[in-house]
Amino acid sequence: QVQVAETGGGLVQAGGSLTLSCRPSDLSFEAMGWFRQVQGEEREGVSCISWNGHGTFYSDSVKGRFTIARDNANNTLYLQMNALKPEDTAMYYCAAAPRWKLLPGPWCQPRRFDYWGQGTQVTVSS
């Protein structure tokens, strides 16, 4: 079974940076993404990247601050987070989509992704 694991979370002051890493069993997926969830709220897409021409996606709240990238040599997906804000505090999840699904709405959505990591906590202090 495909394994996905995230690392890199932690406590950082507002304005600081963190880099999250996701190490799936392989990168042979149609798309991968980063999602975050606050306790009691819906899991929402932060950034997604596709290998089928759909490109990259960033939520409006992180656009210009976060960057998603892949390193095929190290079989790793990254989320570089800069200028962190307290409202970025959440559990961050890496997800992988083995195949493209025909779904309405934005393509960077949780139901498109089948494999999920356990999450890594990001806490931004003010």
Side-chain angles (χ1 to χ4, degrees), residues 21-125:
S21 299
C22 177
R23 306 180 189 278
S25 56
D26 61 70
L27 293 177
S28 59
F29 300 105
E30 292 285 345
M32 295 187 69
W34 290 96
F35 297 79
R36 65 186 182 188
Q37 185 172 27
V38 177
Q39 188 69 36
E41 299 183 6
E42 295 290 329
R43 186 172 299 185
E44 298 182 335
V46 175
S47 181
C48 292
I49 184 169
S50 73
W51 286 261
N52 62 7
H54 287 83
T56 57
F57 166 89
Y58 295 96
S59 67
D60 289 339
S61 63
V62 308
K63 192 174 300 181
R65 299 187 297 119
F66 291 11
T67 302
I68 190 169
R70 60 173 175 169
D71 185 343
N72 291 333
N74 294 308
N75 196 32
T76 304
L77 181 75
Y78 298 98
L79 183 67
Q80 176 65 49
M81 306 185 295
N82 298 321
L84 284 162
K85 306 174 181 179
E87 50 263 45
D88 293 318
T89 296
M91 185 72 73
Y92 283 72
Y93 299 88
C94 178
R99 58 191 179 277
W100 191 258
K101 302 176 183 177
L102 295 177
L103 299 170
W107 72 268
C108 185
Q109 55 181 291
R111 62 177 175 169
R112 186 177 300 283
F113 296 84
D114 299 308
Y115 303 105
W116 295 84
Q118 295 297 308
T120 184
Q121 179 67 38
V122 172
T123 302
V124 184
S125 64

